[in-house]
Amino acid sequence: MTARGLDAWARAPGAGERNPPDPLRRRLGVTSGRLFTPTGALVQLGAALSALAAADDDVDVVPTSGLHFTFLALAWDHYASAADVPNTSQLRTLFAARTQELPFSLGHMRLVAISGALLLAGIPDPASATARADLAADLMAADWAPHIAERYRGYPFPPKIWHTTLARSRRQFATPGMRALFAEYRDRTFDDLALGPPWLVAANYNWTMLEPLDTLR
């Protein structure tokens, strides 16, 4: 992914045109994962990204309060509130059965470049990898399957990469400042994350709007 991202940057030395406003930024999707508190080198990177965003409106950084690691995204951002999310009974039951005692931890954390964003990616513990694959199979045989089909149209399900987005460009490609920070931190080692059982939530794109859905637990 980083190789493709760097290739895109090489072919577009500028950040390109400004992206149109996304009306879904204030809507909620259905997803799962956990908030986390950064430590070590991630604190330094977060501070650098925040300083960059303060000086450049083209950089959209996930605030510290919204830092999260996704376990599995489950529906696009269509909903004004958790009350608008349909058909959650079977979803909640299946989710709880696969994740209730899950440690959900990730290691080998690395910064990843894509054309318009910086990601933090890691390798899950074996139990989490198995649970996500089993949950994905459960959902494809459940009444939630149409939401999965829409959310992942054209992409593998479950995803091949475990990641969270740290910063997005409001232009077509990463800004010069984002590229410079990637170059500075690409070889840095980030602390492992011990997250605990994932939450089932309705959340917006950066988890600054968050409503729980896993009330069966």
Side-chain angles (χ1 to χ4, degrees):
M1 289 183 70
T2 290
R4 291 195 299 269
L6 293 178
D7 182 63
W9 293 358
R11 290 184 283 106
E17 296 182 2
R18 184 88 179 213
N19 296 322
D22 187 344
L24 299 182
R25 289 299 190 232
R26 302 295 294 177
R27 308 285 284 183
L28 306 181
V30 179
T31 188
S32 60
R34 285 289 291 254
L35 294 169
F36 68 88
T37 300
T39 59
L42 192 56
V43 175
Q44 302 165 22
L45 175 57
L49 286 169
S50 295
L52 183 63
D56 185 353
D57 188 54
D58 286 335
V59 181
D60 178 13
V61 173
V62 176
T64 301
S65 61
L67 280 176
H68 64 281
F69 219 99
T70 300
F71 181 74
L72 189 62
L74 299 165
W76 276 124
D77 303 355
H78 292 314
Y79 309 107
S81 72
D84 294 332
V85 178
N87 307 321
T88 59
S89 178
Q90 188 184 38
L91 169 64
R92 287 180 290 143
T93 300
L94 293 172
F95 183 81
R98 294 296 186 185
T99 66
Q100 197 156 19
E101 304 299 330
L102 201 65
F104 189 26
S105 60
L106 299 114
H108 304 282
M109 310 296 291
R110 288 292 183 272
L111 195 60
V112 173
I114 63 173
S115 61
L118 298 180
L119 314 179
L120 183 68
I123 297 174
D125 64 280
S128 293
T130 298
R132 189 171 80 163
D134 290 344
L135 177 61
D138 293 343
L139 293 173
M140 291 306 294
D143 62 11
W144 198 257
H147 300 287
I148 296 294
E150 181 193 25
R151 175 64 179 77
Y152 287 92
R153 186 171 293 119
Y155 295 92
F157 177 74
K160 294 181 178 180
I161 184 174
W162 296 66
H163 77 282
T164 188
T165 302
L166 298 178
R168 298 169 175 84
S169 175
R170 292 190 172 99
R171 293 188 176 272
Q172 291 173 296
F173 301 97
T175 66
M178 292 170 65
R179 301 181 194 201
L181 282 179
F182 176 76
E184 181 179 350
Y185 282 87
R186 64 178 300 176
D187 295 323
R188 295 289 292 272
T189 298
F190 297 96
D191 292 345
D192 295 350
L193 294 178
L195 298 161
W199 303 332
L200 181 65
V201 298
N204 70 331
Y205 77 109
N206 63 4
W207 281 44
T208 55
M209 298 167 60
L210 186 71
E211 297 185 46
L213 292 174
D214 52 353
T215 54
L216 291 186
R217 196 170 285 169

